[in-house]
Amino acid sequence: MSKAKNSKKPKSTNRTTNIASLRLILGGYLVVLLLAQLFAFEKFPSMLESIGLGDWSTVVAIVLALAQLLALPFLIGLKLPTRLVFASFVSVFVALVLLSVLEVMALISDATILFGATLDLPGGFWSICLLLALWVLYAWIAALWRKSK
């Protein structure tokens, strides 16, 4: 009887694996978006210019690509000093803010900028829903990450 009591396993809800899985999912989405934007990067500033950014389109394109790139160390779980991990965590936020603002601007002109000039997709509510899902995923990761500290 004592063996039966001792053989009970604790619940297998491991926050570390949950947060790692969520980080990889969000990281995968950002990598796909980044690669699509970089594949035809020479056309990306003109696409941003067409949604109303004007002369700032090249700067915004570079800042967006850098933010997505700098977000990767946090999202793939690299072992880095705490300050660098936090900077990468903030880069995820900056990338999502930029993508959201640009996509709302693009929605007005019935376009989408999520995949840059690589995929010519029609704009619409689907892109806002995708970004909303990425924001929910980011909030979930942030809550789990804060608890794990």
Side-chain angles (χ1 to χ4, degrees):
M1 282 196 164
S2 63
K3 285 185 180 182
K5 289 182 182 179
N6 292 338
S7 66
K8 286 186 178 181
K9 293 181 181 178
K11 289 185 179 180
S12 62
T13 56
N14 189 355
R15 279 196 180 117
T16 309
T17 56
N18 287 345
I19 192 170
S21 301
L22 295 173
R23 285 158 89 173
L24 285 176
I25 292 169
L26 183 57
Y29 276 108
L30 284 183
V31 165
V32 167
L33 295 177
L34 176 64
L35 289 176
Q37 292 162 3
L38 290 178
F39 191 70
F41 191 75
E42 67 277 357
K43 298 176 188 173
F44 193 44
S46 63
M47 180 181 238
L48 293 178
E49 194 173 310
S50 71
I51 64 167
L53 283 180
D55 295 336
W56 287 95
S57 60
T58 304
V59 174
V60 171
I62 292 170
V63 169
L64 177 60
L66 282 175
Q68 289 173 318
L69 186 64
L70 292 174
L72 291 179
F74 171 76
L75 293 173
I76 62 175
L78 286 180
K79 302 291 182 201
L80 294 172
T82 307
R83 289 182 183 174
L84 290 177
V85 171
F86 184 73
S88 183
F89 176 75
V90 171
S91 292
V92 178
F93 179 79
V94 170
L96 287 176
V97 166
L98 281 172
L99 283 170
S100 300
V101 168
L102 292 173
E103 195 57 37
V104 167
M105 290 175 69
L107 186 64
I108 295 169
S109 58
D110 199 33
T112 183
I113 56 93
L114 288 181
F115 297 99
T118 304
L119 296 175
D120 188 22
L121 298 172
F125 193 63
W126 70 269
S127 59
I128 300 299
C129 289
L130 175 64
L131 281 171
L132 183 61
L134 293 179
W135 273 109
V136 168
L137 194 57
Y138 177 72
W140 192 4
I141 291 168
L144 287 176
W145 187 54
R146 193 182 300 185
K147 286 181 184 178
S148 69
K149 281 185 161 186

